[in-house]
Every structure is written in structure tokens, then in C-alpha cells.
Amino acid sequence: MEYKAKDYSYLIGMEGFSPELLRMHFTLYQGYVTNTNKLLEILDQMLRAGNLNTPEYNELKRHLGWEFDGMRLHEYYFENLGGNGRLSRRSRVAAAMAQNFGSVQAWEKDFRATGAIRGIGWAILYQDVTNGRLINFWINEHDKGHPAGCNPLLVMDVWEHAYMPDYGLDRAAYINAFFGNIDWRVVEERLL
């Protein structure tokens, strides 16, 4: 079954994100979808031909995580955008944040600080499925560092392509724009 790039063009016009930045970001995402499909096809052919346990197979298998996670993380990212950025203090997400961080404000302070970490990567609010705990994580690369058994609730892309065309080196301004466009209904739906 082939993966299809989803259409996120409804985000064009979102405040704080230029149409050019979004179109570039959508193109990057479409590349991850294309490469995921190509790798899966090649790996399937290698499996059918019995070409396993070769250096080529090993490297393609390793690279699949990069392309697949790049595809999926961008989907989470785009899907949790397009809202008005206002979190209802009576929502389940707000209650979970208060329980785990002491307050929504404390969670936000920690998430913003996570997103401001020097380097490229992702700031992701995860929910540990074993006990419901919420934890903000910094993920350097698509395919490394994801906490096993955790569900991503809110995903913020902090690779340069996500903000530099509009904000240059002012990552804090990008984070402000991100917060102003969070669709908290989507985050709430992801909460277990």
C-alpha cells in the first residue's frame, strides 16, 4: 500500500507563516512521502529476491526510519496547526498539563524552552501510554530519540526550513507564531 502526501494547502494564509514558507515545507514533506514509498518498494523487491543481509539492504532498512519518520512527523506538525492557539483551561489536555507540570503556564514555559534548544530537530509533547504522563522531548533527528511507548500529542518542527525563510535566526518569533496557530482540538484528540 503506497503512502499518499496529504493536502495541507488549507494552512496557506495562516498568520505568521508566509505562503512561500508553507509551500516549500509542503514540498519537503512530499519528498519524504515519495522516498518512503521508493524505499519500501526496493526493500520489498529485495525481500522477494532473497537479497537480505547485504550491506545495501542494511543501509536501506536503516534509512527507511529517516524518511518514514520525516513523513509522519510533518503530518503531525501540519495537522496540529491551523487553529486559533487558544487552549481551553477546562480541556483534558489542560488538566493533564496541570497535573504533570503544575500548570499550563509551566508546561508552556518548558515546551518553549525545549523548542529553543540550540540545534535542529523537533520539540514534541509526548504522552507515556503506560501511565498517561506528559513529557516534553527534544528530538534531534527524525529517526532517533523517540521515547518508546509514547504517543505524540503536539509536534513543533524546529529545523531551519520551518522558520528561517520568514524569521531568519529569530526562532522565538517563530515559536510565538506556532503557538498562535495550534489547533488544540487535534491535540485533544491525540490524548489517550
Side-chain angles (χ1 to χ4, degrees):
M1 171 171 32
E2 187 169 276
Y3 290 98
K4 303 282 185 209
K6 297 178 181 181
D7 180 8
Y8 296 109
S9 61
Y10 63 88
L11 294 174
I12 293 176
M14 184 172 55
E15 189 172 331
F17 292 77
S18 71
E20 295 77 23
L21 178 139
L22 288 170
R23 285 187 191 101
M24 178 200 65
H25 213 157
F26 300 154
T27 300
L28 179 74
Y29 156 68
Q30 290 167 351
Y32 286 117
V33 176
T34 298
N35 287 339
T36 295
N37 287 325
K38 284 180 184 176
L39 284 170
L40 288 170
E41 181 182 337
I42 293 167
L43 288 165
D44 184 55
Q45 290 171 0
M46 293 180 87
L47 174 63
R48 284 187 271 123
N51 293 334
L52 309 175
N53 300 320
T54 64
E56 295 82 11
Y57 176 84
N58 295 345
E59 287 309 309
L60 291 173
K61 202 61 145 163
R62 284 186 184 104
H63 194 68
L64 177 61
W66 171 264
E67 299 294 346
F68 184 90
D69 285 357
M71 173 187 71
R72 189 54 43 86
L73 287 171
H74 280 93
E75 290 171 351
Y76 283 131
Y77 170 72
F78 293 136
E79 289 165 8
N80 61 214
L81 287 173
N84 63 15
R86 291 190 292 273
L87 173 62
S88 169
R89 302 300 185 204
R90 292 178 290 222
S91 69
R92 289 181 27 223
V93 171
M97 288 172 173
Q99 179 182 1
N100 288 271
F101 291 89
S103 68
V104 171
Q105 294 81 7
W107 165 80
E108 183 175 331
K109 184 177 181 181
D110 186 69
F111 191 84
R112 284 176 179 268
T114 303
I117 289 173
R118 185 171 156 81
I120 54 170
W122 302 85
I124 303 177
L125 170 62
Y126 278 103
Q127 181 184 31
D128 184 340
V129 299
T130 66
N131 61 10
R133 181 178 180 163
L134 303 185
I135 308 168
N136 292 323
F137 278 87
W138 172 263
I139 306 299
N140 274 340
E141 298 185 19
H142 308 321
D143 59 337
K144 297 177 182 148
H146 295 280
C150 290
N151 180 39
L153 301 178
L154 178 66
V155 175
M156 180 171 62
D157 189 342
V158 285
W159 285 72
E160 289 97 343
H161 64 261
Y163 64 91
M164 286 186 87
D166 285 353
Y167 295 99
L169 296 176
D170 192 355
R171 190 185 294 193
Y174 160 71
I175 292 172
N176 286 338
F178 174 84
F179 266 85
N181 289 287
I182 295 172
D183 188 339
W184 287 106
R185 292 173 299 144
V186 170
V187 177
E188 182 91 7
E189 289 170 6
R190 292 175 182 166
L191 187 68
L192 302 177

